[in-house]
């Protein structure tokens, strides 16, 4: 288990003003701020399926397929799935993750809700409020199949913090055993946009990216911005800037700020691939989504026994 001496405990109301609220059901945790912002997290995969911000919390920032399966039988198409301990198809042989499914087991496993903590206002300024939800995944809770395929002792704590016009998602990975292991991690975020043809992505210039659509080879990113005009699946590596931004119709829409993560995947399936995915609905949903996925996927992170690693992102809605 991950040592958590400061594990969140139940919150006792200490202020007269409205305070953050958390609702827990058998399959989902929902948090809501007094100003209306909200987040919904499935226990299956610890997948964030909704993040609403803006005036009265009526702006949905994440894209979720109309055909997304939310009953725990398969990974969720949309929201923010957690990719761990391997990104993409695992190495064919010779690596500890070779027997795992694509994108690993975190998004296919049921996580434990560990609790909540909050920053609460003590007066009328409820915009100061934030709420943090912690979720845990441990080797002892894996299915027999996953445990056999990746027999390491580990603990992961995933923290989802909702603030005014922001959502922070952080992963803490700890090696609980004596044998070292390697891993990759990615936060597979599906941002919701109004029109993909009017979007531009900045903050990726001066980097090298692998183009999985073109030839799976490395290319240099020299343009100050990227527009989506067809299928795109690129892995941008060792990015110097901490922030990747999305503009829509010439206006700032999102900032995605990496924390101890150097790589970012940009993905949109476009027309034909969207039609070919049974859980991607509607077929033209590609027009309203853009994946900007922060991660550590170029090479491997390694943890020896007792060591830990932390990384994540802060997403800001700029409407």
């Amino acid at each position: 288990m991950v040592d958590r001496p400061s594990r969140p405990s139940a919150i006792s109301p200490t202020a007269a003003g409205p305070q953050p609220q958390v609702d827990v059901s058998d399959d989902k945790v929902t948090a809501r701020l007094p100003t209306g912002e909200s987040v919904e997290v499935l226990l299956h995969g610890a997948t964030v399926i909704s993040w609403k911000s803006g005036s009265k919390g009526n702006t949905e920032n994440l894209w979720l397929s109309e055909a997304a399966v939310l009953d725990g039988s398969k990974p969720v198409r949309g929201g923010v799935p957690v990719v761990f301990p391997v990104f993409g198809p695992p190495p064919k042989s010779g690596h500890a993750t070779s027997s795992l499914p694509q994108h690993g087991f975190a998004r296919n496993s049921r996580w434990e809700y560990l609790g909540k903590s909050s920053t609460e206002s003590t007066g009328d300024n409820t915009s100061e409020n934030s709420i943090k939800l912690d979720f845990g995944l441990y080797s002892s809770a894996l299915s027999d199949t996953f445990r056999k395929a990746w027999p390491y002792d580990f603990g992961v704590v995933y923290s989802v913090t909702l603030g005014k016009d922001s959502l922070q998602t952080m992963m803490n990975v700890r090696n609980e055993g004596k044998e070292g292991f390697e891993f990759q991690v990615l936060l597979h975020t599906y941002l919701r946009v109004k029109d993909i043809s009017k979007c531009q992505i900045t903050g990726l210039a001066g980097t090298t990216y692998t183009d999985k659509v073109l030839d799976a080879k490395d290319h240099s990113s020299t343009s100050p911005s990227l527009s989506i005009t067809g299928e795109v699946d690129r892995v941008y590596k060792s990015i110097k800037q901490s922030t990747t931004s999305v503009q829509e119709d010439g206006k700032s829409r999102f900032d995605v700020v990496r924390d101890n993560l150097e790589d970012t995947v940009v993905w949109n399936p476009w027309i034909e691939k969207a039609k070919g995915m049974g859980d991607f609905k509607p077929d033209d949903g590609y027009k309203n989504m853009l994946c900007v996925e922060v991660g550590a996927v170029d090479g491997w992170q390694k943890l020896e026994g007792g060591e830990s690693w932390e990384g994540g992102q802060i997403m800001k809605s700029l409407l």
Side-chain angles (χ1 to χ4, degrees):
M1 297 284 285
V2 172
D3 182 20
R4 294 180 54 73
S6 59
R7 176 173 171 168
S9 57
I11 298 171
S12 300
T14 59
Q19 301 302 318
Q21 299 294 319
V22 176
D23 297 317
V24 182
S25 67
D26 290 339
D27 60 354
K28 183 173 66 174
V29 180
T30 302
R32 186 171 290 103
L33 298 181
T35 44
E37 294 87 352
S38 65
V39 64
E40 297 179 29
V41 187
L42 290 182
L43 293 180
H44 177 66
T47 306
V48 179
I49 59 171
S50 175
W51 164 39
K52 293 181 179 179
S53 64
S55 177
K56 300 181 180 179
N58 55 10
T59 299
E60 178 60 71
N61 297 299
L62 301 177
W63 183 88
L64 184 68
S65 169
E66 293 178 0
V69 178
L70 306 181
D71 63 4
S73 61
K74 64 180 298 185
V76 176
R77 176 69 67 187
V80 188
V82 177
V83 173
F84 173 88
V86 62
F87 164 65
K92 292 182 179 180
S93 63
H95 196 270
T97 61
S98 294
S99 298
L100 292 175
Q102 174 165 306
H103 290 338
F105 52 69
R107 63 179 190 155
N108 291 304
S109 300
R110 182 178 175 88
W111 293 57
E112 176 187 356
Y113 174 53
L114 301 178
K116 62 185 178 180
S117 59
S118 70
T119 300
E120 301 175 340
S121 67
T122 56
D124 295 331
N125 188 12
T126 54
S127 64
E128 296 177 353
N129 287 326
S130 67
I131 184 79
K132 180 165 75 76
L133 310 173
D134 283 347
F135 303 86
L137 180 65
Y138 312 106
S139 48
S140 59
L142 292 183
S143 68
D144 291 341
T145 299
F146 290 148
R147 183 69 172 148
K148 182 178 180 181
W150 208 64
Y152 298 102
D153 293 324
F154 73 92
V156 179
V157 174
Y158 184 51
S159 299
V160 178
T161 304
L162 175 68
K164 180 173 175 56
D165 298 325
S166 70
L167 188 72
Q168 182 184 53
T169 56
M170 296 290 296
M171 285 188 67
N172 183 288
V173 182
R174 183 174 175 83
N175 186 340
E176 298 289 343
K178 296 181 180 180
E179 184 179 2
F181 61 75
E182 294 181 322
F183 68 94
Q184 296 172 327
V185 63
L186 183 83
L187 300 175
H188 198 319
T189 304
Y190 291 71
L191 298 174
R192 174 176 287 275
V193 297
K194 292 181 180 179
D195 187 345
I196 189 66
S197 69
K198 296 182 179 180
C199 291
Q200 289 189 318
I201 306 157
T202 61
L204 300 173
T207 62
T208 298
Y209 65 90
T210 300
D211 194 324
K212 295 186 175 182
V213 174
L214 182 59
D215 52 16
K217 295 182 179 180
D218 284 353
H219 301 264
S220 296
S221 175
T222 56
S223 175
S225 64
L226 171 66
S227 298
I228 308 299
T229 58
E231 181 185 354
V232 61
D233 190 354
R234 296 181 177 183
V235 181
Y236 288 84
K237 299 177 287 188
S238 301
I239 306 169
K240 295 179 176 62
Q241 306 96 319
S242 63
T243 303
T244 300
S245 300
V246 177
Q247 286 82 39
E248 185 168 18
D249 205 14
K251 299 178 181 178
S252 296
R253 180 63 185 94
F254 295 105
D255 277 347
V256 180
V257 184
R258 293 181 309 281
D259 186 346
N260 198 34
L261 295 171
E262 293 187 346
D263 310 322
T264 293
V265 176
V266 177
W267 182 72
N268 184 288
W270 212 247
I271 301 170
E272 295 305 319
K273 183 163 284 188
K275 289 180 179 179
M277 293 185 287
D279 61 351
F280 193 102
K281 297 295 178 184
D283 286 346
D284 65 353
Y286 71 90
K287 295 178 180 178
N288 305 119
M289 54 76 61
L290 172 63
C291 283
V292 178
E293 315 163 30
V294 304
V297 297
D298 181 33
W300 300 87
Q301 305 293 315
K302 186 169 184 178
L303 291 178
E304 300 295 344
E307 292 182 341
S308 62
W309 171 94
E310 187 174 62
Q313 67 178 345
I314 299 176
M315 297 182 289
K316 300 176 181 179
S317 177
L318 304 176
L319 284 180

